[in-house]
Amino acid sequence: MNLGGNYLSEERFSEATERLRDASQIAAQLNAEDVLINTLGNLGWAFYKLGDAERALTLLEDAEKRAVSVGDTYDAIAWLTDSGHVYQDSDRLTQAAQSHRLAFKLANEINSKEDIINALEDLAHVSVEAGQLEEAAGYIKQVTPLINANENPLDVLDVKLAQGEISASRHEDAQAARLFRDVEHDPASQTSMRFGAEHELARLYESQGNARLAEDMYRTSLSTFEGARDQLKNEDSKLPFLANATRIYDDYIHFLVTRDKDDEALITADQSRAQTLAQGLGQATSQQASHLAAMSPSAVARKAGATLLFYWLGEKQSYLWAITPQKVSLFPLPPQKQINPLIERYRKALLGSEDPLESNNATGQALYTMLVAPASKLIRPGAPVMVLADGALSKLNFETLIVPGAIFPGASPASNTASRSHYWIEDATLLSAPSLSMLAAAKPMHSVNRNLLLLGDAVSPSEDYPELPYASVEMKQIERHFAARDQLIFARGQATPEAYLASNPKTFSYIHFVSHGVASRMDPLDSAIILSRTPSQSTAQEDSFKLYAREVMRHPIEARLVTISACYGSGTRAYAGEGLVGLSWAFLRAGAHNVVGALWEANDESSPQLMDSMYQGLQDGKTPEAALRSAKLGLLHSQTKFRKPYFWAPFQIYTRL
């Protein structure tokens, strides 16, 4: 616990999480509630500083409730305060203010000077963000004599940040700049304080119309942030960390676009994408940028043989860059708060009992009109479309968007008819890609073999994972598309995680799993493919039948295509810059060139038919994306219940070329 605390004070947050996890497990085993409260709260704070607000809030709220239940007011205040920080960073200002006011009340009841200071500082920051400047100034006036008496340099810097924000809001520019500079250059300043102050300076210069200084400071703040990110030790820490800089990137991109620097804005947006994935594949951020700078976005489109649709979801404004081999075009989109609810609403429709096309779903049409229609004239008929999604868009299968019917101009009223509304998959072959720079840096596949590693039809390891009635059917249908000498098959009791890891997966061009899958929202690298236990394993080894995403990453592969015919293979949680992280992401991270994963539950009855058709297309010489699309169209055009997108649309193909 103390080692974890020391790492926290040194801002070594990934090391802190490792120690604090160990401490919390031991404390739980010993029923040492006081230690458990401390470790859970500090672990929550570590995750908050890593940008993982969702996991942080769960831990902090648990720690606070435990502290209240044992009458530990000091710890209750600490974790209540930290929960307020998470709420504030998530734009839940009302809840943030409530947490800090309650912390202030409790701190006064036990006369804890340090907690009173913290609560007043926090209330000042929340008030500034809510635009309540007089209220914020009142809190600062109240806390200043307490800080002077306490002589804690971090408290002084924190108040200077709040004072700078107030001065900037009041257009007292010289005073605001001085305060932000003080925070930036003070040796006691924490890294998050420094890049926060630099971000505020950039915004201040932008408001003054000083574009040169604003651009320099935006770059400085991002450089400070990236320096902090480079110190993180593992993927678990790096994945959520970009959330700390989302507002900086968003403001900088908006700044560049408003100054007609559309190409620079695109390059900046791309620099925030797939950093953890690229670094895991041995591509440094600087190498990514140089690849893209040398090639240019249009050259990437030529290399991919596709039209690229690159999205950025922003607070003030969202953007779509349509990239063709000839040019790059920018289209403004509504802010993300208008787009995100439509995505959630349409996902629910896709998972419902009705066919959205047959019910003329307005949301599916609205999303197409908003996200695709502006660039539709730039999409070449027959050419693939690569979607580089952002935020909640990574949970949306663009193939399911509904192209509205149109009235043909020039026809007489008697003969004028509406064209047929249809799913966008009818018009285009779609893929999902992580970033432009990864596409630019992609190297050709080494293997020219056509061999298959097939695992599935596992023996049920527990009642939570019943056997799949059609799994053996799917496996037999896949087998027939490969020569017997080119197959390695593990079925029933042989289909174990150990079998995959020992099979030398790097030597296979095609890897396919037919199984259950689980996606962990709190810890996506704990997502897993469910296989069989080995005879030597006992039921006491609860997780021995799971092939975890984090284990997949440790075993390099070069497969042309990995197919995860399982539920939620794509994952359920999207990280800033990385998109959905789960099994599909892990196989890309391991080296796969293309991965097929599911956005929702894969249907055991329809999947064999879909996969059989896809492998037939591959056998006929089609690319993976064309083969998957052809298989989906086969279901869509059938007269069965499988025509609904619920059955064919969960599977999405992810590529890094």
Side-chain angles (χ1 to χ4, degrees):
M1 181 183 70
N2 289 334
L3 283 168
N6 287 340
Y7 284 135
L8 280 180
S9 66
E10 296 171 4
E11 299 185 86
R12 295 164 64 182
F13 301 114
S14 56
E15 291 102 320
T17 58
E18 294 173 5
R19 296 299 188 188
L20 292 168
R21 275 173 167 164
D22 291 344
S24 64
Q25 290 171 1
I26 298 168
Q29 292 168 2
L30 297 173
N31 293 320
E33 188 69 7
D34 56 338
V35 180
L36 183 59
I37 290 169
N38 187 293
T39 53
L40 289 175
N42 277 314
L43 191 56
W45 180 252
F47 280 119
Y48 164 68
K49 298 300 285 186
L50 286 170
D52 195 341
E54 186 173 341
R55 193 185 309 193
L57 194 57
T58 299
L59 289 163
L60 290 167
E61 289 178 342
D62 185 17
E64 183 214 340
K65 289 177 183 176
R66 289 174 181 270
V68 170
S69 69
V70 299
D72 183 351
T73 305
Y74 283 98
D75 274 344
I77 292 170
W79 313 134
L80 186 66
T81 297
D82 291 348
S83 296
H85 293 150
V86 179
Y87 286 133
Q88 183 177 347
D89 280 6
S90 304
D91 291 324
R92 297 155 70 178
L93 298 184
T94 300
Q95 289 164 289
Q98 289 172 347
S99 293
H100 294 316
R101 288 193 187 105
L102 180 54
F104 182 60
K105 176 177 177 293
L106 293 174
N108 275 291
E109 288 177 358
I110 62 173
N111 195 30
S112 172
K113 292 291 192 295
E114 183 177 349
D115 290 321
I116 290 171
I117 290 171
N118 289 338
L120 289 170
E121 290 174 5
D122 294 332
L123 285 167
H125 283 293
V126 173
S127 298
V128 171
E129 197 161 336
Q132 299 165 344
L133 302 184
E134 294 303 320
E135 189 174 317
Y139 288 128
I140 290 175
K141 183 177 181 181
Q142 190 175 350
V143 78
T144 299
L146 300 176
I147 290 175
N148 292 337
N150 206 38
E151 296 184 346
N152 184 329
L154 288 179
D155 287 331
V156 174
L157 292 168
D158 196 48
V159 166
K160 281 187 176 182
L161 265 179
Q163 289 174 320
E165 291 165 358
I166 293 172
S167 296
S169 298
R170 290 174 171 170
H171 304 291
E172 299 166 352
D173 293 353
Q175 182 174 343
R178 178 181 59 78
L179 290 164
F180 293 142
R181 287 288 187 191
D182 284 350
V183 175
E184 181 192 18
H185 294 301
D186 195 305
S189 185
Q190 295 176 328
T191 304
S192 58
M193 285 181 168
R194 282 199 298 276
F195 66 69
E198 290 161 353
H199 180 204
E200 293 297 338
L201 274 168
R203 295 177 62 196
L204 180 66
Y205 293 141
E206 182 180 359
S207 69
Q208 294 172 340
N210 193 330
R212 183 184 63 80
L213 285 179
E215 187 162 356
D216 287 346
M217 194 50 63
Y218 274 124
R219 289 176 177 171
T220 298
S221 63
L222 287 175
S223 177
T224 302
F225 167 79
E226 293 298 343
R229 187 182 182 280
D230 287 343
Q231 300 303 311
L232 301 177
K233 302 298 182 184
N234 53 51
E235 276 84 358
D236 295 88
S237 301
K238 292 178 179 179
L239 279 169
F241 196 67
L242 186 70
N244 290 306
T246 299
R247 291 186 180 182
I248 307 176
Y249 273 106
D250 190 31
D251 285 342
Y252 186 32
I253 289 165
H254 185 69
F255 166 83
L256 291 170
V257 170
T258 56
R259 281 152 184 79
D260 296 323
K261 295 185 175 183
D262 298 352
D263 291 348
E264 288 183 40
L266 172 59
I267 300 301
T268 300
D270 193 70
Q271 286 173 356
S272 73
R273 298 288 176 85
Q275 291 187 5
T276 305
L277 181 60
Q279 288 172 354
L281 290 166
Q283 300 172 8
T285 304
S286 58
Q287 291 174 332
Q288 284 185 284
S290 64
H291 276 298
L292 189 55
M295 183 169 278
S296 86
S298 286
V300 176
R302 277 195 298 276
K303 177 182 179 182
T307 300
L308 312 181
L309 301 182
F310 187 107
Y311 292 90
W312 179 268
L313 297 187
E315 183 179 343
K316 306 182 190 77
Q317 184 91 64
S318 300
Y319 301 102
L320 161 62
W321 286 268
I323 307 166
T324 70
Q326 291 75 36
K327 64 177 182 178
V328 178
S329 303
L330 175 65
F331 302 94
L333 301 176
Q336 62 179 341
K337 64 183 178 183
Q338 295 182 29
I339 297 174
N340 290 353
L342 294 177
I343 295 170
E344 290 304 315
R345 193 183 311 157
Y346 194 50
R347 273 179 59 89
K348 289 180 181 177
L350 290 168
L351 299 179
S353 58
E354 290 188 342
D355 185 328
L357 183 60
E358 293 176 358
S359 62
N360 202 28
N361 186 279
T363 306
Q365 296 184 52
L367 283 169
Y368 176 86
T369 301
M370 179 188 295
L371 300 173
V372 179
S376 59
K377 293 182 179 178
L378 299 174
I379 299 173
R380 294 172 294 156
V385 176
M386 282 190 183
V387 176
L388 293 89
D390 185 34
L393 290 174
S394 60
K395 300 178 182 179
L396 179 67
N397 186 341
F398 279 66
E399 295 170 322
T400 66
L401 300 185
I402 299 175
V403 183
I407 303 298
F408 294 110
S412 66
S415 62
N416 199 12
T417 58
S419 67
R420 179 176 60 90
S421 294
H422 55 279
Y423 292 118
W424 193 27
I425 190 174
E426 301 254 29
D427 299 335
T429 301
L430 276 77
L431 306 88
S432 179
S435 71
L436 294 173
S437 49
M438 282 198 71
L439 296 176
K443 297 178 181 178
M445 286 177 283
H446 294 138
S447 174
V448 294
N449 298 325
R450 193 176 181 278
N451 52 358
L452 169 71
L453 174 61
L454 177 61
L455 296 94
D457 191 21
V459 176
S460 172
S462 74
E463 61 183 15
D464 293 330
Y465 309 106
E467 296 195 9
L468 299 170
Y470 293 90
S472 61
V473 175
E474 181 173 337
M475 293 184 71
K476 288 176 182 176
Q477 289 178 332
I478 294 170
E479 289 176 41
R480 67 186 185 88
H481 296 291
F482 294 83
R485 65 180 181 277
D486 294 330
Q487 303 178 29
L488 180 58
I489 301 169
F490 297 101
R492 304 302 292 157
Q494 293 181 325
T496 64
E498 288 74 14
Y500 171 77
L501 299 175
S503 67
N504 196 10
K506 189 174 184 178
T507 62
F508 292 91
S509 296
Y510 296 90
I511 301 173
H512 191 110
F513 296 91
V514 185
S515 63
H516 286 290
V518 290
S520 172
R521 180 168 180 81
M522 279 299 178
D523 196 344
L525 295 183
D526 280 342
S527 299
I529 296 170
I530 305 302
L531 296 169
S532 301
R533 300 180 190 274
T534 61
S536 61
Q537 291 170 341
S538 67
T539 55
Q541 296 171 288
E542 293 183 0
D543 298 334
S544 57
F545 53 86
K546 293 181 179 179
L547 177 61
Y548 285 106
R550 64 178 70 255
E551 189 68 25
V552 166
M553 290 162 38
R554 299 189 185 109
H555 291 76
I557 58 175
E558 296 179 359
R560 183 190 187 204
L561 177 65
V562 173
T563 303
I564 311 163
S565 187
C567 299
Y568 295 105
S570 300
T572 58
R573 184 172 181 185
Y575 283 102
E578 297 289 338
L580 283 175
V581 173
L583 291 164
S584 296
W585 187 95
F587 278 106
L588 284 178
R589 165 70 175 75
H593 290 267
N594 300 282
V595 180
V596 171
L599 290 167
W600 57 78
E601 291 184 2
N603 182 267
D604 181 46
E605 188 178 355
S606 60
S607 294
Q609 184 176 335
L610 181 74
M611 295 302 169
D612 182 31
S613 180
M614 182 184 77
Y615 278 97
Q616 183 61 56
L618 291 168
Q619 189 174 350
D620 293 341
K622 292 180 179 179
T623 61
E625 62 270 20
L628 180 60
R629 175 179 180 250
S630 179
K632 290 180 176 182
L633 289 175
L635 294 185
L636 173 60
H637 295 155
S638 72
Q639 298 303 310
T640 68
K641 65 179 181 180
F642 299 152
R643 70 185 184 281
K644 297 178 182 179
Y646 170 80
F647 295 99
W648 53 262
F651 292 107
Q652 184 158 298
I653 188 162
Y654 302 86
T655 187
R656 64 179 187 88
L657 286 183

